[in-house]
Amino acid sequence: MTLSRLQRNKLVWLWGYRPADITAYGFDDGRPAADAGRYLGSDWNRRFVQDVVNDPRNHVLTEHKWVFYRFADGFGLPVPPTIGFFDSVQGTTWDGERPLRTVPQVLAELDRVRPTGLVVKPAGGGQGAQITILDRIDHATGTATTRTGEETTLERVFAALDPGGERGVSGYVLQHAVRNHPELAQLAPTTTNTCRVLTTVATDGTAHVHAASIRLGRRGGMIDNWGSGGVSIPIDVATGVMGPGILKGVPGDLTEHPDTGERFAGRELPLWQETVELCRRAAVLFPGLRFLGWDVVIGPDGPMLLEGNVHWSLRGSQMLAADGWLADPDTRERVEGLGVPLPTGRVSRQVAAGVLARGRDRARRVARRVGRTLTSR
Ligand SMILES: Nc1ncnc2c1ncn2[C@@H]1O[C@H](COP(=O)(O)OP(=O)(O)O)[C@@H](O)[C@H]1O
Ligand SMILES: [Mg+2]
């Protein structure tokens, strides 16, 4: 049964869904409109949740990767060993002792540190944008092989970086490449696979793991991100056991890795309790950020924080929760405890504010278009 036009409009206007939510949560495949309250709509999240749970003034703590690594390390939280920040104005080595403002300075530092594998990622990056991973480096000649098998040189890698950085944030983080725990390498050996762990911090300062998943990368890719083709798999938080996974753009559930044929569904992750503990410890240390998505590498010696995310793919996470997050009363209570209103499907002050905001967004878009037309004359 497909939704009527009226039902779709209600999902958008009263529940704060975006059209892509409607498809992602199965409303186009027979899920009844009565299930609307089980999912948090993307627009609702953007308008009434995001900035309440994670104060935008504090975003820099996780969204600037260099700030994140220095801050996390300051508390002794395990992060990949980091070499420095390459930036034309304020580049510096990890210890703040030497500038990393030019390519020759970077090459000199790499020659001093001699990492066996190197990751270069934009300080303002996200969703795997612009990441280079070198798996083999010959420090005598400066030649290197990328994770996808291309031959290059260190000099070429750094000379090719856009000085503007990513998303308007300048600079790049240089970091040792870290390895998978052997059990995870067996499942997906070609990428560094990461868990995504969502934590909330209650008013009394206690942290709770809200949901977790893992991404297993595919052959031919540099990284494991779902948008780049990784398999996304839910994890049962209490036990660390993986469920059936999903691949972007491919309908149906997956129980085995498409490249290795290894079955992951039903398997227990190594070092899972340590991973949960690490995320709970980290969650309470980032002020003003109370609902974060952590990327964690489970390495041979233990879990390591790869990054924190204030925007942690609400839709991707909810697609993995079979019945929808908001079907669970404990989750509702926890989210409301963060001071956010949850949708009820009735016309309310929030909905009115949302409708107004929608109208305002549209007006702005039109004004921008008119402005562009006028200035291009
Ligand atoms: N130090 C590292 N060692 C190995 N792989 C890494 C490292 N840093 C990043 N990666 C790979 O790149 C992916 C994206 O990195 P991440 O730091 O999470 O940035 P983004 O914000 O782009 O998601 C990771 O999921 C992982 O597969
Ligand atoms: Mg990430």
Side-chain angles (χ1 to χ4, degrees):
M1 200 185 73
T2 52
L3 297 185
S4 70
R5 212 187 150 102
L6 176 68
Q7 285 170 322
R8 296 183 82 84
N9 275 327
K10 277 191 176 169
L11 286 177
V12 170
W13 293 96
L14 299 185
W15 292 95
Y17 280 49
R18 284 189 200 149
D21 295 340
I22 297 176
T23 314
Y25 304 147
F27 289 93
D28 284 335
D29 293 326
R31 183 180 283 285
D35 277 359
R38 290 171 174 264
Y39 296 90
L40 186 62
S42 299
D43 265 341
W44 191 281
N45 182 49
R46 183 161 72 90
R47 289 193 205 298
F48 308 118
V49 179
Q50 256 176 31
D51 290 354
V52 177
V53 297
N54 294 323
D55 187 336
R57 289 167 298 191
N58 301 42
H59 282 189
V60 70
L61 292 174
T62 58
E63 300 316 285
H64 194 293
K65 286 185 166 46
W66 175 241
V67 173
F68 171 77
Y69 290 119
R70 287 287 0 179
F71 188 78
D73 182 75
F75 284 112
L77 297 167
V79 294
T82 302
I83 297 164
F85 177 53
F86 173 41
D87 178 73
S88 65
V89 180
Q90 289 173 300
T92 173
T93 53
W94 179 251
D95 57 10
E97 294 291 332
R98 294 167 297 285
L100 287 186
R101 296 178 44 232
T102 64
V103 173
Q105 285 168 347
V106 169
L107 296 180
E109 184 66 9
L110 291 177
D111 190 44
R112 206 180 65 77
V113 178
R114 300 208 159 208
T116 49
L118 178 70
V119 178
V120 183
K121 47 188 174 182
Q127 297 174 349
Q130 302 294 333
I131 296 188
T132 306
I133 304 182
L134 303 177
D135 275 327
R136 272 186 302 278
I137 304 172
D138 180 347
H139 289 281
T141 60
T143 54
T145 313
T146 68
R147 181 153 291 187
T148 45
E150 285 154 56
E151 299 299 325
T152 184
T153 65
L154 289 174
E155 190 164 2
R156 214 179 297 147
V157 167
F158 287 97
L161 296 178
D162 176 355
E166 185 67 23
R167 298 189 193 168
V169 179
S170 74
Y172 294 81
V173 169
L174 274 56
Q175 184 167 75
H176 291 261
V178 294
R179 282 180 304 127
N180 292 309
H181 188 281
E183 285 180 42
L184 285 166
Q186 190 194 358
L187 290 179
T190 52
T191 58
T192 306
N193 307 302
T194 57
C195 301
R196 170 60 61 87
V197 180
L198 302 183
T199 56
T200 51
V201 181
T203 317
D204 66 3
T206 53
H208 176 82
V209 173
H210 174 77
S213 57
I214 184 165
R215 286 146 307 182
L216 301 177
R218 299 290 308 276
R219 189 177 297 140
M222 201 74 90
I223 54 173
D224 65 343
N225 296 50
W226 194 59
S228 320
V231 188
S232 186
I233 303 162
I235 302 170
D236 179 60
V237 175
T239 61
V241 172
M242 290 175 270
I246 53 175
L247 260 183
K248 191 169 184 169
V250 180
D253 283 344
L254 217 62
T255 52
E256 290 159 13
H257 192 281
D259 298 335
T260 60
E262 291 278 341
R263 189 180 169 85
F264 52 76
R267 269 217 222 179
E268 189 183 325
L269 285 166
L271 304 172
W272 180 246
Q273 292 315 323
E274 288 85 341
T275 302
V276 168
E277 272 322 300
L278 170 60
C279 294
R280 282 165 45 94
R281 184 152 67 90
V284 300
L285 295 173
F286 285 69
L289 307 179
R290 291 176 59 188
F291 203 158
L292 288 174
W294 305 94
D295 284 350
V296 188
V297 176
I298 302 180
D301 305 317
M304 224 182 257
L305 296 177
L306 209 53
E307 64 163 348
N309 291 283
V310 294
H311 304 302
W312 32 256
S313 177
L314 173 75
R315 192 180 295 135
S317 307
Q318 293 198 109
M319 281 170 76
L320 290 176
D323 277 335
W325 278 9
L326 296 182
D328 172 23
D330 289 345
T331 300
R332 298 184 73 89
E333 201 182 314
R334 216 167 280 122
V335 176
E336 282 179 318
L338 298 174
V340 299
L342 290 180
T344 59
R346 282 186 294 277
V347 181
S348 64
R349 235 180 34 213
Q350 281 92 23
V351 172
V355 170
L356 277 178
R358 241 172 185 258
R360 218 170 31 232
D361 287 351
R362 230 173 249 178
R364 279 205 194 109
R365 273 199 302 276
V366 172
R368 267 202 300 273
R369 214 174 303 139
V370 171
R372 267 201 304 274
T373 318
L374 291 178
T375 49
S376 66
R377 281 189 180 165

